[in-house]
Amino acid sequence: RLPLSPCVAGERLCSAEEATAGSGTYTRHGFIFSSLAGCLERKNEDSELPVVSVVRDSESQLLPNVGAVVTCKVCSINSRFAKVHILYVGSTPLKSTFRGTIRREDIRATEKDKVEVYKSFRPSDIVLAKVISLGDAQSNYLLSTAENELGVVVARSEAGVQMVPISWCEMQCPRTHTKEFRKVARVQPQFLQT
């Protein structure tokens, strides 16, 4: 078996003289074409010609959609927003990371004008957020943490220790007892990544 290579629907794969059309393909004008987007697979079976088929990879088709709860990691912050990488949709890990942005006005449901990004998130925090729109080319997804269940779920203190939430806006380092501000999530059991 050769390594799988991605292909799109309608792509010309090879001449019908070189191979036999398998599942996910069709033959037209002496060529084998892909009938769906997926990965090209060539298998040499007992026949003289290899069988060419296209397999759909269901997991790679999973995309964050509007309303989905996603788990993401904060990459960078500034005064207006936090940039994140989306790692999970629900409890399903993504094969490739998607970029997202949590804008200052989408961090909390109340007192939006008083929210400060650096008091809500820090780089490398793990955050539960909800997809609110597909955004633009620079930031693929716009995310919100403006619900009690959403916000920071895992944060490390400056000492490198996982902090414990002590209120909805603070976490504490169990080693140094320093408190840091965060937009803390009240995590629902089904979203806990074990």
Side-chain angles (χ1 to χ4, degrees):
R1 269 175 84 165
L2 294 167
L4 301 180
S5 58
C7 58
V8 294
E11 188 177 324
R12 191 168 91 179
L13 303 174
C14 64
S15 156
E17 293 165 11
E18 299 170 41
T20 309
S23 62
T25 67
Y26 61 91
T27 309
R28 183 180 291 160
H29 307 305
F31 290 98
I32 297 174
F33 292 85
S34 169
S35 63
L36 48 92
C39 289
L40 175 63
E41 205 176 49
R42 276 178 188 261
K43 284 187 189 159
N44 284 9
E45 297 184 347
D46 301 334
S47 60
E48 312 79 72
L49 293 176
V51 176
V52 173
S53 49
V54 176
V55 288
R56 180 171 277 154
D57 188 348
S58 56
E59 286 175 32
S60 65
Q61 306 291 324
L62 181 69
L63 296 173
N65 52 358
V66 174
V69 173
V70 295
T71 305
C72 43
K73 185 175 188 173
V74 178
C75 304
S76 62
I77 57 172
N78 65 24
S79 59
R80 298 189 326 278
F81 51 77
K83 290 270 185 203
V84 301
H85 280 150
I86 300 170
L87 309 172
Y88 286 79
V89 173
S91 57
T92 309
L94 293 172
K95 288 195 170 169
S96 52
T97 52
F98 293 94
R99 289 181 318 186
T101 301
I102 304 171
R103 298 175 304 187
R104 198 181 86 168
E105 59 267 30
D106 297 322
I107 292 175
R108 289 192 189 285
T110 56
E111 299 183 319
K112 293 182 182 194
D113 51 334
K114 294 183 183 165
V115 170
E116 293 179 79
V117 178
Y118 77 94
K119 284 189 173 180
S120 304
F121 309 115
R122 297 279 170 88
S124 82
D125 283 359
I126 302 295
V127 174
L128 273 181
K130 188 171 270 185
V131 178
I132 50 174
S133 89
L134 302 184
D136 53 30
Q138 284 79 40
S139 66
N140 298 4
Y141 293 91
L142 283 177
L143 308 174
S144 164
T145 56
E147 287 175 35
N148 291 342
E149 289 73 40
L150 306 175
V152 177
V153 284
V154 179
R156 296 205 173 278
S157 66
E158 303 204 341
V161 181
Q162 188 168 324
M163 296 198 290
V164 281
I166 52 173
S167 75
W168 58 275
C169 63
E170 280 186 309
M171 288 180 133
Q172 187 173 30
C173 173
R175 185 181 298 161
T176 63
H177 302 294
T178 3
K179 294 176 184 173
E180 292 182 24
F181 287 106
R182 291 291 196 282
K183 191 312 182 175
V184 180
R186 188 180 71 212
V187 183
Q188 298 299 306
Q190 71 263 31
F191 292 124
L192 280 170
Q193 302 292 342
T194 47

